[in-house]
Amino acid sequence: MTLSMTPDDVLALLKEGNRRFLSDEPMTVQGSRMSRLRMAAAQHPIAAYLSCSDSRVTPELLFGRGLGELFIVRNAGNSLCSTAIGSLEFAVTALGVPLIVVMGHENCGAVRAAVSVVKEHYGFSANINKVLQPLYPAIMEVGDDCQHDLVNTAARHNVQRVVRELQEEASPALRRPQELGTLKVVGAFYELGSGEVEWLDL
Ligand SMILES: [Zn+2]
């Protein structure tokens, strides 16, 4: 399926899926016994995601996609750790995925926790600190005029930083397909209350 789809084709499908989610249309997604059997031999996802582990932010549901369609990397705060980079590289180079979506969301608990470390020197365990650390630069770059909405502004900045890294420097293996136009990396921000996904303009 991905062989014939351009990045923009996939993006249009995802936008349409979120429109259906927003209008509460019933989901008709792949998941039947026949489709499971077809997929058992190989997967052909149409897009890869780097998104937050938050239980309210489930890409398949938000975009109306079914089994075998989205290759998803999730961690708290959707940050670009080395395993995330490697997993996204695998999706592109081994599975031929034409689109990577980096998705943050409103009221992100991981970003809120990272803000409490940066602003109030709050302490977490060493393992949690490892997850939060990549979020600090996005928090530091929020200007004084946006401090009233620091968590959401930093979450957006984090998405933009990750997209830029994936576009420019994080992975040589991802640069060539982007130069050829066979891969796009885009940023998105999910509003918990409305269910709407905003596509971030970099
Ligand atoms: Zn989150």
Side-chain angles (χ1 to χ4, degrees), residues 77-93:
N78 45 277
S79 62
L80 197 58
C81 57
S82 57
T83 52
I85 296 173
S87 300
L88 294 171
E89 265 189 30
F90 182 80
V92 172
T93 60

Side-chain angles (χ1 to χ4, degrees), residues 54-97:
D54 192 300
S55 60
R56 302 163 293 180
V57 186
T58 307
E60 286 95 338
L61 297 175
L62 310 185
F63 295 92
R65 312 315 310 178
L67 286 179
E69 295 195 286
L70 303 181
F71 185 98
I72 301 174
V73 183
R74 294 177 78 169
N75 60 42
N78 45 277
S79 62
L80 197 58
C81 57
S82 57
T83 52
I85 296 173
S87 300
L88 294 171
E89 265 189 30
F90 182 80
V92 172
T93 60
L95 304 176
V97 162

Side-chain angles (χ1 to χ4, degrees), residues 77 105 108-116 132 135 139 150-152 154-155 158:
H105 68 97
C108 179
V111 176
R112 188 174 297 285
V115 165
S116 73
L132 301 182
L135 302 172
I139 295 165
L150 179 54
V151 171
N152 291 326
N158 181 53

